[in-house]
Amino acid sequence: MSTVPRFWRHIPQRYNLVGTHCSKCDEYYYPPRTICPNCRRNAKMEDHKFKGLGTVVTYTTIYNATDDFKRQTPYNLAIIELLEGPRLTGQVICSPSEIEIGMKVKPVFRILGKEGDRGIIYYGTKFVPVEGSI
Amino acid sequence: MPAGIVSYGVYIPKYRIRAEEIARVWGEREDMAQNLNVFEKSVPDFDEDAVTIAVEATRNAVKRASIDSARIGAIYTGSESHPYAVKPTGTIVGEAIGVDHELTAADFEFACKAGTAAVQACLGLVTANLIDLGLAIGTDTSQGAPGDALEYTAAAGAAAYLIGRENLAAEIEGFYSFTTDTPDFWRREGMPYPEHGGRFTGEPGYFKHVTSATRGLLKKMKTIPEDYDYAVFHQPNGKFPVRVAGQLGFSRDQIEPGLVVPWIGNTYSGSSLIGLAATLDVARPGERIFLASFGSGAGSDAFSIRVCDGIEDIRDRAPKVRDYFENVQYLDYAVYAKHKGKLRL
Ligand SMILES: [Zn+2]
């Protein structure tokens, strides 16, 4: 149960890719940071909602997963560089033969995981190829 | 003061299974698709449920009219496949579209008509000037037991409507509802698949309620079927809406733009509202649309809708219903069963 409060705190960043932006040095952060490492005490941090458009930097395809994710295999985990700069890890929903480095992706709202049959359902952002998506 | 639809959005998952593939597995007659007038149905992805597809439909509605989500004062979500028994779908949808937290919300259940009941609730609050905008959603990822007749039609889809008083895309001129205690279809708490009364339930269920609500509204509005350019009736299969339209004096041409069930299946709470969206996708200002939902149990909500000038400004700014008919991916029964987690035979 200890993961529930952690998930709850992360809802804005998981549902809507809310990170931060330092208006002093124009650097974007995801996950959000409270302190800008460039500017330290002079930082001017504000919340920033990322559009979620990005590019696949690298990826791996998972063929063997734990019970909770077995039904979804094979699936693609990728490092995605957002338009604004930050990189994050996310699932790209397409066949393993379709994914490639440099692929443009956009965000979708999906189930990230479930705590068994009785626990909480974790929702959040995954990605789909821009090409061929509605 | 007129009130109605400020914006609308839909979402239909990209996977499909053909009726003939289901018939092949169960050794049924191949003309099953013809008999039901349902050729394929949508199937949700592993990580999609009634919440995620409601979020996608709502994001499309918000985008279509560039709505500031903070204006939304109520979220009512109709579904019979809410992922939680206790924990409202509307709370998750609200957070995912960035609402202000000064907001009322509740989940509605009335088989396939909970979405139109949500529209009525929003209309009441908006017309009474108690809220600025209301969000009404119909969303379902429904299941039929393997081999059951329902398996040919039970599909996934969502529609979201923003109801308000200003910048209307379509005015809701009036509604009329007809409700009785009729056990034509039900699912007990904790059971994975619904039960139904079999073939005979069409007459006392669907046909009696849809015709009663329709005739009631025509009388109340002092209108006749010819006064409407389009009509949408709930689509549990492709036969019922065609037959009920004929019985009531509506033509095949009037229902054609909104008849989407042959290509996506029965999206339950999404069904009549996706049909309405498909009609709004093509309707011109000044045209009138007749809408009647149906929910087993049983009841029907009928609406008289007049399309406003605002439709032209917003229509092309979000995906249309028929955009979701493109780029679909077909599944065979084995993969489909994996998608649906169909292990309980
Ligand atoms: Zn900085």
Side-chain angles (χ1 to χ4, degrees):
Chain A
M1 289 302 286
S2 63
T3 56
V4 173
R6 197 171 73 93
F7 172 76
W8 187 37
R9 279 196 306 277
H10 290 167
I11 278 179
Q13 70 188 64
R14 288 214 174 140
Y15 286 15
N16 284 310
L17 295 176
V18 174
T20 47
H21 172 236
C22 174
S23 57
K24 179 102 179 154
C25 68
D26 201 28
E27 189 86 33
Y28 291 89
Y29 297 101
Y30 187 91
R33 301 184 75 140
T34 46
I35 295 165
C36 174
N38 300 338
C39 309
R40 306 274 170 183
R41 316 187 70 169
N42 298 320
K44 289 205 173 79
M45 297 299 265
E46 59 194 11
D47 282 352
H48 176 80
K49 185 172 175 292
F50 289 91
K51 287 188 184 69
L53 297 171
T55 307
V56 172
V57 176
T58 184
Y59 67 90
T60 179
T61 301
I62 311 288
Y63 290 91
N64 292 298
T66 53
D67 281 355
D68 284 350
F69 291 91
K70 205 171 265 170
R71 219 155 51 90
Q72 294 193 37
T73 55
Y75 62 89
N76 310 307
L77 269 185
I79 293 175
I80 292 155
E81 184 171 295
L82 297 173
L83 274 185
E84 297 92 334
R87 290 180 173 193
L88 55 85
T89 305
Q91 192 175 327
V92 176
I93 303 160
C94 65
S95 84
S97 60
E98 205 185 329
I99 191 167
E100 56 186 23
I101 289 166
M103 178 187 257
K104 302 281 180 222
V105 294
K106 63 174 194 174
V108 290
F109 193 81
R110 297 289 177 114
I111 298 165
L112 300 182
K114 295 178 183 180
E115 285 194 341
D117 287 334
R118 301 166 65 102
I120 198 169
I121 304 168
Y122 301 113
Y123 292 98
T125 305
K126 292 186 183 178
F127 296 85
V128 292
V130 171
E131 186 94 5
S133 292
I134 293 152
Chain B
M1 180 184 265
I5 298 161
V6 174
S7 188
Y8 67 99
V10 300
Y11 177 81
I12 302 157
K14 73 179 283 188
Y15 297 103
R16 299 286 184 280
I17 185 166
R18 292 191 172 97
E20 61 192 36
E21 171 68 4
I22 300 173
R24 183 184 67 80
V25 167
W26 296 106
E28 298 263 8
R29 303 202 323 267
E30 280 175 12
D31 56 0
M32 198 74 176
Q34 298 290 345
N35 289 343
L36 290 165
N37 191 22
V38 176
F39 299 93
E40 50 195 64
K41 64 164 194 170
S42 65
V43 181
D45 207 341
F46 299 109
D47 51 5
E48 291 184 307
D49 64 12
V51 165
T52 67
I53 67 173
V55 167
E56 295 289 350
T58 303
R59 284 178 173 174
N60 282 336
V62 167
K63 182 170 128 190
R64 175 165 265 130
S66 307
I67 296 296
D68 174 5
S69 296
R71 289 176 57 201
I72 296 168
I75 301 178
Y76 295 123
T77 312
S79 180
E80 57 168 63
S81 50
H82 293 292
Y84 286 102
V86 178
K87 164 76 180 119
T89 297
T91 57
I92 305 165
V93 174
E95 205 61 51
I97 58 162
V99 290
D100 184 272
H101 295 127
E102 186 186 339
L103 173 82
T104 181
D107 288 355
F108 285 12
E109 277 183 32
F110 196 141
C112 299
K113 84 160 193 79
T116 54
V119 170
Q120 292 174 326
C122 287
L123 204 58
L125 290 173
V126 161
T127 306
N129 233 334
L130 295 169
I131 60 168
D132 180 8
L133 280 179
L135 170 60
I137 303 167
T139 180
D140 263 309
T141 52
S142 295
Q143 296 240 34
D148 187 281
L150 287 175
E151 200 184 11
Y152 290 88
T153 55
Y161 284 78
L162 285 157
I163 305 297
R165 293 177 298 271
E166 291 161 13
N167 300 320
L168 297 182
E171 180 191 345
I172 298 177
E173 301 174 306
F175 65 75
Y176 182 99
S177 293
F178 183 82
T179 307
T180 72
D181 178 2
T182 306
D184 55 338
F185 174 101
W186 61 91
R187 178 170 65 83
R188 293 273 299 276
E189 186 71 48
M191 293 292 118
Y193 304 118
E195 305 288 328
H196 52 90
R199 246 167 234 281
F200 80 93
T201 55
E203 281 308 324
Y206 182 88
F207 289 95
K208 182 186 171 188
H209 292 79
V210 171
T211 54
S212 297
T214 299
R215 290 194 175 118
L217 183 59
L218 291 174
K219 193 174 170 205
K220 183 179 168 185
M221 296 297 298
K222 298 189 175 65
T223 51
I224 54 172
E226 289 78 9
D227 292 329
Y228 296 90
D229 298 279
Y230 308 99
V232 181
F233 298 100
H234 174 55
Q235 304 166 19
N237 53 54
K239 287 280 197 203
F240 281 17
V242 173
R243 200 193 306 162
V244 85
Q247 286 175 2
L248 288 161
F250 288 89
S251 71
R252 187 73 200 232
D253 284 349
Q254 282 169 300
I255 62 168
E256 200 62 48
L259 193 67
V260 294
V261 64
W263 311 111
I264 60 173
N266 179 9
T267 52
Y268 286 63
S269 301
S271 171
S272 58
L273 291 176
I274 292 176
L276 174 62
T279 307
L280 289 169
D281 283 343
V282 298
R284 289 185 299 266
E287 290 187 322
R288 290 172 97 182
I289 304 169
F290 193 94
L291 167 70
S293 65
F294 172 70
S296 291
S300 173
D301 303 323
F303 297 81
S304 181
I305 296 164
R306 186 186 291 274
V307 181
C308 303
D309 292 340
I311 191 79
E312 306 278 16
D313 301 329
I314 67 166
R315 182 161 30 213
D316 298 331
R317 286 158 56 183
K320 295 174 184 159
V321 174
R322 282 177 171 74
D323 291 338
Y324 287 99
F325 294 8
E326 315 277 325
N327 286 318
V328 299
Q329 201 170 321
Y330 290 98
L331 305 178
D332 62 25
Y333 196 91
V335 179
Y336 160 76
K338 198 174 153 200
H339 268 248
K340 302 291 279 185
K342 277 187 194 296
L343 301 167
R344 287 173 281 228
L345 281 158

